[in-house]
Amino acid sequence: MKVTVNGVELELKEGTSVIDAVFAAGYDVPYFCSQEYMSPIGACRMCLAKVGAPRKDRASGEWILDEETGKPKIFYFPNLMATCTTTVMEGMVVDTLSEDVVEAQNSMVEFTLINHPLDCPVCDKGGACELQDRAYEYGTGLSRFEFDKRHQEKHAALSELITLDRERCIHCKRCVRYFEEVPGDEVLDFINRGGHTFIGTEGEGLPSNFTGNITDICPVGALLDTTSRFRGRNWEYDHTNTTSMDDASGSALVVDARTGRIERIKSGLNPEVNKTWIDDGTRFGHEYVDAADRIRTPLVRRDGKLTPATWQEAAQFIAERLRGLAGKEVGIALRADSTLEEGVGAKALAAQLGDGKVDHYPRPAASLLDGANRATLEDLAHADAILVVGDPTEEVPIVDLRIKDALKGVSSPELFPHGVPIADLRLKERMPRRTEILTVLAPYRTDLMKYAGSSHVYEAGAEETIFSALQSGNEPQGFEEGFAAQLQQRLAGAKKAVIVYGGNVLASQGASNALLGFARRVGARTMPLPAMANSVGLELTGVLPSHVRYSYPEAVGTELRALIVSNLNPAADSRLVQRLQELELLVVHTMFEDETTHIADVVLPAKSVYERDGTIVNLEGRILPVRSAPVDGGLSEDFTGVVKRLGEALGQRMEGRSIRSARRALKKSLELDLDNLPDEGVLVPFKARARGVSVRQAAAGEGNLLLVPSMIRHEYLSRNPHLLAAHGETPLRLHPDDADRFGVSHGDVVTLPVGGVIRRAVVRVTPGAPVGVPLLASLPDQPAGLVQANFAELRKERLALEVA
Amino acid sequence: MVELDTLQPFFADKQELLDEILGRYPEYGRRSALMPLLWEVQRAERHINDARVEEIAEIVGVHPTEVRGVMSFYSTYHDHPVGRFHLQVCSTLSCSLAGSDELYDHLVEELGIVNGETDGDGYFSLQKVECVGSCTTAPVLQVNDTYYERLSKSRCRQLIASLREGELPEPWHARGGDADAKGGEEQ
Amino acid sequence: MSDTVAFDSQRITSRKDPRFEVVMYRHVGVEGAWTLDYYLGHGGYSAARKALTEMTPEEVVQTTIDAGLRGRGGAGFPTGVKWSFMPRPDGRQRFILCNADESEPGSCKDRYVMQDDPHQLIEGMIIGGYAIGATKGIIYIRGEYYQAYERLRAAIGEARERGYLGKGLFGTEFEFDLILHRGAGAYICGEETALMNSFEGLRANPRLKPPFPAQAGVYGLPTTINNVTSLASVVHIINRGADWFSAMGTDDSKGFHHIQLSGTVNRPGIYEVPMGITFREIIYDLGGGPSIPAKAFIPGGTSCPLFPFTDEFLDTPMEYAAVAKKGSMLGTGGLIVIPEEKCIVDAMYNIVRFYAHESCGKCTPCREGVATWMPQIYRKLLEGLGTPHDVQLIEDLAGKIKGTAFCPLADACVVPVQASLKYFREEYDYLAHHGHSKYQKSDWWQE
Amino acid sequence: MSLFSIAKGMGVTLSHLFKKPVTVSYPEEPADVKPRFRGRHHLLRHPDTGLEKCIGCSLCAAACPSYAIYVEAAENDPDNPVSAGERYASIYEINMLRCIFCGMCEEACPTGAIVLGHEFELADYRYNDMVYGKDDMLVGVKGSKPQRREAERTGKAVRLGFKAGPRAELEGVDY
């Protein structure tokens, strides 16, 4: 389509909105209500422009010509048009510079501002506010409104995490539309009408995992992130574009820090991964970084007491102890959200010490690299049949949103030179959802089941039997008649079918194999959901033990004499404490005091995930850059730093002693230049496992408690006060029958030994929990799956508060 | 009393009515039943409280916020109880030209309450409303669901007197023009 | 009821013409006219029977187009043409939606049809549904019309019971049923897309067009929306033929219309009149003239610009083009006569306040301009605190709101304001300079 | 050269002997400061309520060309507010070593909370002491840090080395 914008001729695709045509031509139109990934509604009327098009004569079918020029005559629309809701037409002429357009823009700014409080000096959005910018660029600077402005509540807490200033709201409806269109949880709406309209919600808080995004998309300071309220002004923050290490999605993040402290986290833009959305766990779960009890200096145990030391002293101390040991007597374990560079360092250190045992944890029993036909998140968003096994809303929440994209059936927009289209006219308010394409299986009722055409709650631990049956074309036990046949037909008949499976399947090699067999049978792509940010990368680059019996933490029980762990807490498991105490050297590299630091010989201060530089591989195999935000972590170092210090103490120059040296090694194995990685990342092909045995022969399907994934990192929950206030303490979800059986009631705080770890939780009685299998959030040291809990030892710590 | 009532779900013993209302709409349009359900509650309880909002949300399968959003959009749903007789004076142009301002002043004087108020014993509520569609028979006073049209001073006094007695009188015939059966023929 | 009317080349443009006959309002006001028996006794459902048994849907549409019936809801779009916009049948459910959310101040014609002659509307719905291939009809009636709602509900029940709604109507294959839905007090529901949202149980914000209702209407399915009297007119067009209808009125506007005469006139009421009749005839011959000296009249409901009460405007024939030429609209036919002693600023404040109350709040110019700013300036003027600057401001704001809002509601508010400034600016200036109106208002409430 | 010339020259000298001297024997005598002189900053309070005018908006810090100002804000306790409105400055520091007394902060302040006063005697011994906090600048604090330290030591009132007329925007500041 040929379109002329202010004299600039453009060739555009059919269906493009006029606003994108204007931007594509290099001109600007102001807008408030449009948002890149949501439906255009034309409510703010800011983007008005003069639009005209030639007409064809009805009778002859020829263009009506201008008598003077002989060219097709342009018929202008009688009114100015909202460009965000107008589609381009052949030969269209758009004018955004004429006087009447400027006048309309002036008056819309004036109208928008008459009820806006103009308290920019105290507004957290000040300096990064769309209204501020637009008022400056397109307003007259004067107001003729002389009456009292509308007075409404200034700080309505929508939830513990989001504060709403109703006076500042300009009714663009982005937040209301967001909830309906993106996560599908309609928890926010306009109340009243006309000049009295305000945003409101009924009941407590906002029950959704994706509430924080509305603070990003609010064009004014009406919706604010409570964790960062009044913490600083926008121009004072150091913005770091990085990648989320909170889950395996690899979502783009912007970490805003000021004077060495993380003040807030906003979502970044990565069109193929998270678009511009992140979940609440990622957004609000950063406060622990600045916790007062963070370990900021190395500590060495002298005379039974941990005493502060320099890095050099600590490294010397470790080196001396290590000298007397054989390589195979030293174990090294990293948490699975360590970067690739840290992994390289750990491998090099292990190699240096001899036949070192190196591993990352949590690592599922089944490999994440199995199954050649892998789905990317874009594949998922364009799938026309999806089978979900597990609970992606909690495991990798972005997967949940991409599934909901697929339900809408609108493909990802093509990018313009100015980026994502501002108004994608294919998106509509209240689009019908193709729920029939989604099937959800889980051992308990999950949130995603609400959006699924068919769903089934199976018995926990039955994954292997279910998929063995499906693989051989049989009906699994306990399923409704015809369920399997229908599922198989749907997946096999689809153009693009994707099977998403989570930790419950990965916990068993058998289940995983059976599922992959079923996927091959129906020709579906697969997407496993790893437990942590770099699980895929660490497996891909071979941060793995050389033999299955060296797997962490089982290796602790063998001939091991020294153990170096990074961000893990092996001593939480009471069954291991005895053995750990017998070690000649226990080094723990961590952020906070825990059971392991109590018995460790050396405690090294660790950097948080926001302070590290490096790269990770997300669940779809995309290598993404992680950049450090300027956070004051004292003397803390990442594992690369540990390797460097130990190398110095040992007198060795090890691979992975710095980012550069690690990247030299990675360049060889991945054939990628990690220094010049684009922000959007690069998809890497999955190769066969680099080396070693990753398969753990753990038996699945036993146990009486199901550890379930959670978007919240429960290990840090107590240090994230806002998140804690919003979501409460770690819940132990019980079926009412089980609650009766154990004699506990809703709201009781209990302690319970779960697989050797004493877990503290608050009882939540819900009919959604399966009978006989209570649900408890998993931890990095206790990944998802069935475990044995000792319910005889369940103790009530605090009784439920009486309901007033 | 009212507090106790709210504990019992409104539609718990009205399954037939519920089925009838839901049955009016196609299966994919379940949400359409939202407004009729609100009407049912309002007719019975003269307002719709938070518990009812939640109950209706549950029935039509949406979040209570959505119900609140819809309910607050329309001007005839009340979240606070109105009196037994809800007097609504139309104050838009045609009625205003027929003396609705004076009518309103008269009611204020007579009842001792002003726009938006309910009297102490919950008997009368007075409200100025916008056009109720009785322009040719102005001024009009709507009492609950009944229109009292061409409300002259004497008729108004009679009406208030019988409302005080607890009686909602039959509205009188008031049309004019062709709406008057014979009117058209006579012209 | 005479089935045919003798035609000659002369059109029926006056109520005084002996050939003119009241049709739609014939039974309004008759006790018991709302029962099916009464309706059948007066030739009821003969048009539906004729359409279903003797005509194809295309013929029904063509007859309506030939008759020249234009929508009576305000916009005046040809009804038959609207029907022809429906996409070809593709197996999807389609709806005919009757917009009975009559809320325009000054109009009340639909109420009496629904209240006293509901079967007429039901019959019109059946014919309309047949014409567009819709098996479901929806009547969205405004919430305040409780009596009409009850009568309609009873009528639908009766019709359903006796086979005038449901499967196999009049021995044909055609199936048709009605959903009766009651609104709850929102003028914006008169806007067709807002009406659909409201019906679906959403906040009644207008929707984006395109897609137009014919493509994606109620529940995203093809829908046609018609006014009550448009649909009821179709009954008579089918009964008596397109020629009968088009013989009334003028070349531009055919058929009859319902004038709802209110304000300070001696005989306010609803009058069924042929198009082309002048306003003078309506006000003087039918309405008995102004009861107190008049200075202006609104020709078609408050969203239409007003006219001064002068010969030039009084002699304007009531047809779409002629009224538009004078700068106003025929709208819904709600004719309001404004007396000399009513301050025009006060009258406009009344209208502005109405639209401020009814603004849905979706778009900026309407929410902030119409619902917030305008009424406050008017109040200031009327309280005697205004300045000439405020009058200019009103004029400027009206100009800026016009044509920039999302739906026609904001325009509906500002066009009468602009007209009042055009014809009665001196009243504004007087008020701004003196702090009080030129006119002394008397007590209009009758004993 | 005549005697007259000498006498004339002496006469000039003599005439100057009786004129008012232009030099001031500061610090024994107070220096004369013009009303618009820009010296040490004052943080003002609302005279009626006593609440701080500063709302912690950081605009002064943004406007400061020498990056001398650091502000950290916090939310007011509604029952016990520090400033009017929702937020106040929990930390407000100016590094007097960096400050060039340009008055941009005063210019930028939306509430008129910060005003440059007349005090200029800021010399001190340690870098740390040159960072003035809220305690050093709020209305009611007289003198610079070393002057106050001196006054505390001697038990006498702070002695300012200048005299200047009051300024309207320095409401509540008493020299």
Side-chain angles (χ1 to χ4, degrees), chain D residues 2-3 22 31 45 60-61 66 76-77 97 99 115 125 127 133-134 136 142 153 163 172:
Chain D
S2 68
L3 196 70
V22 281
R45 291 177 184 274
C60 47
S66 56
N76 260 326
D77 174 9
L97 281 173
C99 181
V115 179
Y125 297 99
Y127 288 134
K134 252 167 99 171
D136 304 311
K142 206 171 175 182
R153 195 172 56 78
K163 59 177 194 291

Side-chain angles (χ1 to χ4, degrees), chain B residues 102-114:
Chain B
E102 290 85 352
L103 164 62
Y104 169 76
D105 291 345
H106 172 79
L107 291 173
V108 169
E109 211 165 294
E110 187 76 11
L111 306 174
I113 47 175
V114 296

Side-chain angles (χ1 to χ4, degrees), chain B residues 141-159:
Chain B
L141 176 69
Q142 188 188 350
V143 182
N144 299 346
D145 286 322
T146 317
Y147 282 17
Y148 294 92
E149 298 166 308
R150 292 235 166 104
L151 191 71
S152 62
K153 285 177 185 166
S154 52
R155 276 169 173 176
C156 181
R157 276 188 286 272
Q158 278 172 23
L159 174 65

Side-chain angles (χ1 to χ4, degrees), chain A residues 13-21 23 31 33-42 83-88 177 181 271 275 277 378 382 402 405 408-416 418-429 431, chain C residues 208 210-211:
Chain A
K13 276 216 166 138
E14 202 177 326
T16 309
S17 62
V18 176
I19 198 168
D20 283 309
F23 275 83
Y31 64 91
C33 64
S34 265
Q35 204 281 339
E36 282 79 349
Y37 287 113
M38 293 191 316
S39 65
I41 57 164
T83 52
C84 66
T85 54
T86 313
T87 325
V88 293
R177 278 184 292 148
E181 293 177 20
K275 304 215 282 193
W277 316 121
E378 279 292 287
H382 293 113
R402 300 314 302 262
D405 280 347
K408 281 208 240 177
V410 175
S411 59
S412 299
E414 278 182 50
L415 302 189
F416 281 98
H418 61 271
V420 185
I422 293 159
D424 186 348
L425 288 162
R426 298 169 307 163
L427 297 172
K428 306 266 183 263
E429 271 190 285
M431 287 186 91
Chain C
L208 203 61

Side-chain angles (χ1 to χ4, degrees), chain C residues 361-421:
Chain C
K362 174 172 176 159
C363 71
T364 309
C366 187
R367 183 185 60 249
E368 308 294 351
V370 171
T372 312
W373 202 348
M374 288 281 256
Q376 294 200 62
I377 309 174
Y378 269 101
R379 203 175 308 134
K380 184 183 165 196
L381 271 174
L382 289 166
E383 280 169 1
L385 305 169
T387 61
H389 172 75
D390 290 317
V391 181
Q392 274 174 13
L393 188 59
I394 289 177
E395 193 172 19
D396 185 53
L397 289 184
K400 284 181 168 167
I401 293 167
K402 188 161 185 277
T404 57
F406 187 87
C407 82
L409 187 140
D411 284 1
C413 173
V414 296
V415 276
V417 167
Q418 285 180 322
S420 74
L421 278 162

Side-chain angles (χ1 to χ4, degrees), chain A residues 21 101 167 204 235 263 278 336 378 395 433 446 456 514 519 537 541 550 552 639 676 722 740 758 774:
Chain A
V101 176
E167 287 188 356
E204 293 281 303
W235 57 85
E263 300 291 23
I278 55 174
E378 279 292 287
E395 296 192 78
R433 309 293 155 91
T446 66
H456 184 87
T541 50
Y550 295 157
Y552 175 86
F639 204 76
N676 298 312
H722 283 95
D740 288 346
I758 308 285

Side-chain angles (χ1 to χ4, degrees), chain A residues 441-459:
Chain A
L441 306 179
Y444 52 95
R445 271 218 78 75
T446 66
D447 196 53
L448 198 58
M449 286 182 181
K450 279 193 290 194
Y451 307 89
S454 57
S455 60
H456 184 87
V457 176
Y458 60 81
E459 203 183 315

